[in-house]
Amino acid sequence: MVQANSATRKALNFSAEYQPYFSKRRPVYARRGMVATSQPLAAQAGLEILQKGGNAIDAAIATAACLTVVEPTSNGIGGDAFALVWTKGELHGLNASGPAPELLSIEALKARGMTEIPTHGFVPVTVPGAPAAWAVLSERFGKLPLTDVLDPAIRYAEEGYPLSPILAKFWKRAVQIFKARLTGPEFSHWFDTFAPSGRAPEAGEIWASPNHAATLREIAETKAESFYRGALAEKIDAFSKEYDGFIRKEDLADYAPEWVKPISVNYRGYDVWEIPPNGQGLVTLMALNILKGISFSERDTVETLHHQIEALKLAFSDGFEHIADQRNMRYAIEDLLSEEYAAFRRALMTETAAAPAPGTPPKGGTVYLCTADGDGNMVSFIQSNYMGFGSGLVVPETGIALQNRGYNFTLDPNHVNALAPGKRPFHTIIPGFLTKDGVPIGPFGVMGGFMQPQGHLQVVMNTIDFHLNPQAALDAPRWQWIKGKTVEVEPTFPHHLAQALAERGHDIKIALEPNSFGRGEIIWRDPETGVLCGGAETRTDGAVAAY
């Protein structure tokens, strides 16, 4: 068994005795298996698969499929996914985000009189990657048949389940918004599926979707072939053609997820891993690269917070300028993560807030889950439709809610993230993973649009710099950079620190509720004992299931 030194164990803080003032509950411990996600029923589904002999990869797939049923406000069968998988001593990356359809281009939109990409409808629909992610993960690393792994999700879709409180809140909000905005006939299938009584289901009320169940069963039985080259693909194609959409069955048939090499920076002896672009995980790594040149003694000081915010702003400005489908990026990832460039950006920080601007490197609506098993396998997995329910389109008689990821493209033909057929958009969803000296520590993630790199940064520093256990690292009050010098802080954020940041020139806004500050989960493995320590988000209906 690998032995960890005392500094490692202190940094990971597996002790639950230390409970910061802001932590609402204690972490969960187990040894044989653990699943952490934003919905208790989905966490239990993953645990059920572990107890049936599946591994962490099987559990992740089961949880992800179940989340399309029990948290449709944030993801669906028609969305994208990314994964970091630790197995047999190696970390593997999977990019299961889909490209723009071949018919979708800047010229095609201009011909329709469009000057920007709409948030809803067929225009922002890109090829869904989630079903393919489940299939390839199962094929390469799973132990159980996909039919067994998807069974809990099918059961919940077929028999129904009672809504949890936060889920019901977002569901109701979406129905209210969609009623006002989505008035075309193409959106009627969404309302038939998610508001069958003309309203959103309430907390505790049973909701079921037999069509969703049938689609999941077909995906399981065909290993997702039907979705990309069979009957389900034909239904997506017919729906798109009926309403002059761009996606076609040929786009689905040409799609395959991509195995990628994860990227990392070493932060105070720990390797922090992310998926490479087109995802925004690179933003987190650039910010950490800047911050590792500064010492932090305490978490709750204006100095710590100011430097975190300024580093994040610099990294984000670079991300918005340089991140795109990796095949279209003008700068290499290693240049953006170089020590030389980090030092250059670090030198730009002063004692007052600055308006961020991109630099020139030297040449060279989402759900998150994590799983672990007793054999050392661990998965960091994220899946999304974007902006809650996605495009507002549900393929008739399938329960497939299509994503709207194409909204993140730009119509500026000179930008690296310009819309083009077959190109992946800048993507917000990112899984994270932590190792030390080649030894896995575990998966982590914080969902929530452009909050995600900011959540990753804060969770990593809470863990490594400030020695918080997983639950406390998640519970800690968060800040969120919005634009320019504007920073939002949670209602629980210490007032004296918000005031001190304002005196530094930050435009501080106190949010009325914590919904926009991300939702995360963490599982750390004790390198000495193999004991798992997990935390789940208290800002939503998060849960850790373990045995």
Side-chain angles (χ1 to χ4, degrees):
M1 179 177 294
V2 176
Q3 296 296 313
N5 59 41
S6 58
T8 300
R9 301 205 78 249
K10 178 184 177 184
L12 293 176
N13 189 13
F14 280 89
S15 172
E17 294 178 6
Y18 170 57
Q19 194 78 354
Y21 72 93
F22 46 72
S23 197
K24 298 178 177 66
R25 61 187 180 195
R26 298 183 185 276
V28 175
Y29 295 89
R31 189 168 187 178
R32 298 182 64 185
M34 184 173 287
V35 180
T37 193
S38 52
Q39 281 293 314
L41 298 178
Q44 289 293 332
L47 183 64
E48 176 184 330
I49 294 302
L50 285 174
Q51 292 175 325
K52 286 184 176 179
N55 59 19
I57 295 88
D58 294 315
I61 299 166
T63 306
C66 197
L67 283 165
T68 70
V69 181
V70 302
E71 197 176 342
T73 53
S74 302
N75 77 127
I77 299 172
D80 279 347
F82 293 86
L84 290 168
V85 180
W86 180 277
T87 185
K88 297 180 180 178
E90 186 177 351
L91 188 64
H92 304 266
L94 180 67
N95 182 330
S97 64
E102 286 300 318
L103 296 176
L104 183 60
S105 65
I106 294 175
E107 294 74 20
L109 295 188
K110 286 184 176 179
R112 295 190 182 190
M114 294 183 175
T115 57
E116 59 183 22
I117 299 172
T119 55
H120 298 96
F122 271 106
V123 172
V125 173
T126 50
V127 176
W134 305 341
V136 298
L137 285 168
S138 176
E139 182 71 23
R140 184 170 182 181
F141 297 123
K143 289 175 65 178
L144 300 180
L146 193 57
T147 48
D148 291 353
V149 171
L150 265 57
D151 183 65
I154 294 168
R155 190 169 66 242
Y156 279 123
E158 208 158 49
E159 300 174 2
Y161 66 94
L163 269 67
S164 55
I166 302 299
L167 172 64
K169 175 182 177 179
F170 285 110
W171 202 317
K172 184 176 184 178
R173 181 180 297 179
V175 170
Q176 291 171 339
I177 293 171
F178 281 12
K179 277 186 174 181
R181 297 181 184 176
L182 309 186
T183 58
E186 67 270 33
F187 300 112
S188 63
H189 306 289
W190 186 92
F191 290 99
D192 291 342
T193 302
F194 295 112
S197 301
R199 60 170 178 80
E202 301 287 345
E205 189 173 354
I206 303 293
W207 178 82
S209 179
N211 288 332
H212 197 132
T215 294
L216 287 172
R217 185 174 286 111
E218 190 161 344
I219 289 170
E221 291 174 350
T222 67
K223 298 180 180 179
E225 276 295 302
S226 177
F227 191 94
Y228 295 96
R229 285 165 282 277
L232 292 173
E234 294 284 351
K235 290 180 179 179
I236 296 170
D237 181 77
F239 183 41
S240 180
K241 287 177 178 176
E242 181 179 359
Y243 292 102
D244 203 21
F246 293 95
I247 192 168
R248 294 290 184 271
K249 60 184 178 182
E250 289 81 9
D251 298 308
L252 296 163
D254 289 342
Y255 179 71
E258 181 183 1
W259 293 103
V260 296
K261 184 178 180 181
I263 58 175
S264 68
V265 296
N266 189 274
Y267 182 76
R268 309 200 197 286
Y270 291 82
D271 290 312
V272 184
W273 297 89
E274 301 276 355
I275 289 283
N278 54 318
Q280 62 176 340
L282 181 58
V283 171
T284 300
L285 300 185
M286 287 190 288
L288 288 172
N289 228 18
I290 294 170
L291 290 168
K292 71 183 183 183
I294 303 170
S295 297
F296 299 100
S297 59
E298 295 181 57
R299 180 186 182 278
D300 294 325
T301 70
V302 67
E303 285 291 332
T304 294
L305 291 163
H306 173 73
H307 284 111
Q308 286 179 323
I309 292 167
E310 292 302 290
L312 189 281
K313 285 158 61 175
L314 290 168
F316 244 130
S317 62
D318 277 337
F320 288 140
E321 180 72 13
H322 302 307
I323 292 176
D325 189 320
Q326 198 169 336
R327 296 167 295 182
N328 300 93
M329 287 176 60
R330 298 190 180 111
Y331 295 100
I333 293 169
E334 51 266 31
D335 295 334
L336 290 163
L337 292 180
S338 70
E339 298 294 333
E340 177 187 1
Y341 189 58
F344 167 70
R345 298 297 268 168
R346 189 183 305 122
L348 298 177
M349 294 196 295
T350 66
E351 293 304 303
T352 58
T360 302
K363 289 288 185 180
T366 302
V367 292
Y368 175 76
L369 66 98
C370 47
T371 62
D373 62 33
D375 295 325
N377 301 301
M378 290 184 279
V379 180
S380 183
F381 189 99
I382 197 160
Q383 181 172 277
S384 176
N385 268 12
Y386 201 37
M387 295 183 178
F389 277 99
S391 65
L393 300 169
V394 171
V395 181
E397 301 178 352
T398 67
I400 298 170
L402 295 170
Q403 65 182 357
N404 56 342
R405 281 289 165 185
Y407 177 73
N408 275 349
F409 280 120
T410 176
L411 296 186
D412 176 0
N414 297 315
H415 196 280
V416 292
N417 189 42
L419 170 64
K423 182 179 179 180
R424 291 172 170 147
F426 180 107
H427 224 291
T428 60
I429 62 175
I430 51 173
F433 203 92
L434 194 66
T435 65
K436 182 174 175 60
D437 301 325
V439 177
I441 302 302
F444 68 93
V446 179
M447 65 191 93
F450 294 102
M451 177 64 200
Q452 293 183 57
Q454 311 189 54
H456 280 210
L457 174 75
Q458 292 172 65
V459 162
V460 167
M461 292 188 68
N462 286 344
T463 299
I464 296 174
D465 289 281
F466 310 121
H467 316 312
L468 299 185
N469 66 55
Q471 190 60 58
L474 292 167
D475 286 345
R478 293 178 189 153
W479 51 264
Q480 178 180 194
W481 174 67
I482 304 300
K483 62 179 180 180
K485 297 181 182 181
T486 301
V487 178
E488 283 190 354
V489 297
E490 290 190 285
T492 56
F493 196 89
H495 180 75
H496 72 284
L497 291 175
Q499 189 172 31
L501 286 170
E503 291 171 357
R504 294 277 186 118
H506 298 278
D507 180 17
I508 301 297
K509 308 291 186 185
I510 300 175
L512 297 178
E513 54 183 39
N515 295 333
S516 66
F517 290 87
R519 299 177 291 166
E521 278 77 35
I522 299 172
I523 298 175
W524 298 148
R525 181 187 294 276
D526 188 324
E528 289 184 2
T529 65
V531 168
L532 304 169
C533 181
E537 188 62 71
T538 53
R539 295 168 181 84
T540 187
D541 303 307
V544 178
Y547 79 122

